[in-house]
Short mmCIF file of all heavy atoms in Angstrom, two decimals:
data_model
loop_
_atom_site.label_atom_id
_atom_site.label_comp_id
_atom_site.label_asym_id
_atom_site.label_seq_id
_atom_site.Cartn_x
_atom_site.Cartn_y
_atom_site.Cartn_z
N ALA A 158 27.74 159.11 70.75
CA ALA A 158 27.08 160.42 70.87
C ALA A 158 26.16 160.54 72.08
O ALA A 158 25.95 161.65 72.58
CB ALA A 158 26.31 160.72 69.59
N LEU A 159 25.61 159.44 72.57
CA LEU A 159 24.71 159.53 73.73
C LEU A 159 25.43 160.06 74.98
O LEU A 159 24.80 160.59 75.88
CB LEU A 159 24.10 158.16 74.06
CG LEU A 159 22.97 157.67 73.17
CD1 LEU A 159 22.54 156.27 73.58
CD2 LEU A 159 21.79 158.63 73.24
N ALA A 160 26.76 159.91 75.02
CA ALA A 160 27.53 160.38 76.18
C ALA A 160 28.01 161.82 76.01
O ALA A 160 28.72 162.33 76.87
CB ALA A 160 28.72 159.46 76.41
N ASP A 161 27.60 162.49 74.94
CA ASP A 161 28.04 163.86 74.70
C ASP A 161 27.65 164.75 75.88
O ASP A 161 26.50 164.82 76.26
CB ASP A 161 27.45 164.41 73.41
CG ASP A 161 28.09 165.71 72.99
OD1 ASP A 161 29.34 165.77 72.98
OD2 ASP A 161 27.35 166.67 72.68
N GLY A 162 28.68 165.38 76.48
CA GLY A 162 28.45 166.24 77.63
C GLY A 162 28.70 165.58 78.97
O GLY A 162 28.76 166.27 79.99
N PHE A 163 28.84 164.25 79.01
CA PHE A 163 29.09 163.57 80.28
C PHE A 163 30.42 164.07 80.86
O PHE A 163 31.46 164.01 80.22
CB PHE A 163 29.13 162.05 80.08
CG PHE A 163 29.34 161.29 81.36
CD1 PHE A 163 28.31 161.19 82.29
CD2 PHE A 163 30.54 160.67 81.64
CE1 PHE A 163 28.49 160.48 83.47
CE2 PHE A 163 30.73 159.95 82.81
CZ PHE A 163 29.71 159.87 83.73
N LEU A 164 30.37 164.63 82.04
CA LEU A 164 31.51 165.23 82.74
C LEU A 164 32.22 166.28 81.88
O LEU A 164 33.41 166.51 82.02
CB LEU A 164 32.51 164.15 83.19
CG LEU A 164 31.95 163.09 84.14
CD1 LEU A 164 33.03 162.08 84.49
CD2 LEU A 164 31.34 163.68 85.38
N GLY A 165 31.47 166.88 80.95
CA GLY A 165 32.01 167.96 80.14
C GLY A 165 32.76 167.51 78.90
O GLY A 165 33.42 168.31 78.25
N GLY A 166 32.66 166.25 78.55
CA GLY A 166 33.39 165.73 77.40
C GLY A 166 32.59 165.71 76.12
O GLY A 166 31.37 165.88 76.12
N GLU A 167 33.29 165.49 75.03
CA GLU A 167 32.67 165.35 73.71
C GLU A 167 32.39 163.88 73.46
O GLU A 167 33.29 163.03 73.59
CB GLU A 167 33.62 165.89 72.63
CG GLU A 167 33.08 165.75 71.24
CD GLU A 167 34.08 166.20 70.19
OE1 GLU A 167 35.08 166.85 70.54
OE2 GLU A 167 33.86 165.89 69.01
N ASN A 168 31.15 163.57 73.11
CA ASN A 168 30.71 162.18 72.91
C ASN A 168 31.20 161.33 74.08
O ASN A 168 30.93 161.67 75.21
CB ASN A 168 31.14 161.66 71.55
CG ASN A 168 30.36 162.35 70.43
OD1 ASN A 168 29.29 162.90 70.64
ND2 ASN A 168 30.90 162.33 69.23
N GLY A 169 31.92 160.25 73.85
CA GLY A 169 32.35 159.38 74.94
C GLY A 169 33.69 159.73 75.54
O GLY A 169 34.26 158.95 76.29
N GLY A 170 34.19 160.91 75.26
CA GLY A 170 35.55 161.30 75.64
C GLY A 170 35.88 161.31 77.11
O GLY A 170 37.06 161.26 77.48
N ARG A 171 34.88 161.36 77.97
CA ARG A 171 35.14 161.31 79.41
C ARG A 171 34.35 160.17 80.05
O ARG A 171 34.15 160.14 81.26
CB ARG A 171 34.82 162.66 80.06
CG ARG A 171 35.79 163.74 79.56
CD ARG A 171 35.50 165.11 80.05
NE ARG A 171 35.99 165.38 81.39
CZ ARG A 171 37.25 165.73 81.69
NH1 ARG A 171 38.14 165.81 80.74
NH2 ARG A 171 37.58 165.99 82.93
N ALA A 172 33.94 159.23 79.22
CA ALA A 172 33.21 158.05 79.68
C ALA A 172 33.79 156.78 79.07
O ALA A 172 33.13 155.76 79.02
CB ALA A 172 31.74 158.19 79.29
N CYS A 173 35.03 156.86 78.61
CA CYS A 173 35.65 155.76 77.88
C CYS A 173 35.60 154.44 78.64
O CYS A 173 35.27 153.40 78.08
CB CYS A 173 37.08 156.11 77.46
SG CYS A 173 38.03 156.97 78.71
N LEU A 174 35.89 154.46 79.94
CA LEU A 174 35.87 153.25 80.75
C LEU A 174 34.51 152.56 80.68
O LEU A 174 34.42 151.35 80.48
CB LEU A 174 36.21 153.58 82.21
CG LEU A 174 35.99 152.46 83.22
CD1 LEU A 174 37.05 151.38 83.03
CD2 LEU A 174 36.03 153.01 84.63
N PHE A 175 33.45 153.33 80.84
CA PHE A 175 32.10 152.77 80.86
C PHE A 175 31.69 152.25 79.48
O PHE A 175 30.97 151.26 79.38
CB PHE A 175 31.10 153.81 81.35
CG PHE A 175 31.51 154.42 82.66
CD1 PHE A 175 31.69 155.79 82.77
CD2 PHE A 175 31.73 153.64 83.78
CE1 PHE A 175 32.07 156.36 83.98
CE2 PHE A 175 32.11 154.20 84.99
CZ PHE A 175 32.29 155.57 85.09
N ILE A 176 32.15 152.90 78.44
CA ILE A 176 31.81 152.48 77.08
C ILE A 176 32.57 151.21 76.71
O ILE A 176 31.98 150.24 76.22
CB ILE A 176 32.10 153.62 76.07
CG1 ILE A 176 31.18 154.80 76.38
CG2 ILE A 176 31.94 153.14 74.64
CD1 ILE A 176 31.56 156.09 75.70
N VAL A 177 33.87 151.18 76.95
CA VAL A 177 34.68 150.00 76.62
C VAL A 177 34.18 148.77 77.37
O VAL A 177 34.14 147.68 76.82
CB VAL A 177 36.18 150.27 76.89
CG1 VAL A 177 37.00 148.99 76.79
CG2 VAL A 177 36.71 151.31 75.91
N ALA A 178 33.76 148.95 78.61
CA ALA A 178 33.25 147.82 79.40
C ALA A 178 32.00 147.20 78.78
O ALA A 178 31.74 146.01 78.99
CB ALA A 178 32.96 148.27 80.82
N ARG A 179 31.26 147.95 77.99
CA ARG A 179 30.03 147.45 77.37
C ARG A 179 30.27 146.80 76.01
O ARG A 179 29.37 146.20 75.45
CB ARG A 179 29.05 148.61 77.17
CG ARG A 179 28.44 149.10 78.45
CD ARG A 179 27.64 150.37 78.18
NE ARG A 179 26.76 150.72 79.25
CZ ARG A 179 27.14 151.21 80.42
NH1 ARG A 179 28.41 151.42 80.66
NH2 ARG A 179 26.26 151.51 81.35
N LEU A 180 31.44 146.95 75.46
CA LEU A 180 31.72 146.44 74.13
C LEU A 180 31.92 144.93 74.12
O LEU A 180 32.43 144.36 75.09
CB LEU A 180 32.98 147.10 73.56
CG LEU A 180 32.96 148.61 73.39
CD1 LEU A 180 34.32 149.10 72.94
CD2 LEU A 180 31.87 149.04 72.44
N SER A 181 31.59 144.32 73.01
CA SER A 181 31.88 142.90 72.84
C SER A 181 33.39 142.75 72.64
O SER A 181 34.10 143.73 72.39
CB SER A 181 31.13 142.35 71.63
OG SER A 181 31.69 142.89 70.44
N ALA A 182 33.88 141.54 72.71
CA ALA A 182 35.31 141.28 72.52
C ALA A 182 35.77 141.79 71.15
O ALA A 182 36.85 142.40 71.03
CB ALA A 182 35.61 139.81 72.67
#
Side-chain angles (χ1 to χ4, degrees):
L159 283 177
D161 191 48
F163 182 73
L164 301 179
E167 178 184 347
N168 291 339
R171 294 176 81 82
C173 41
L174 170 71
F175 307 122
I176 295 166
V177 170
R179 288 172 165 73
L180 299 175
S181 70

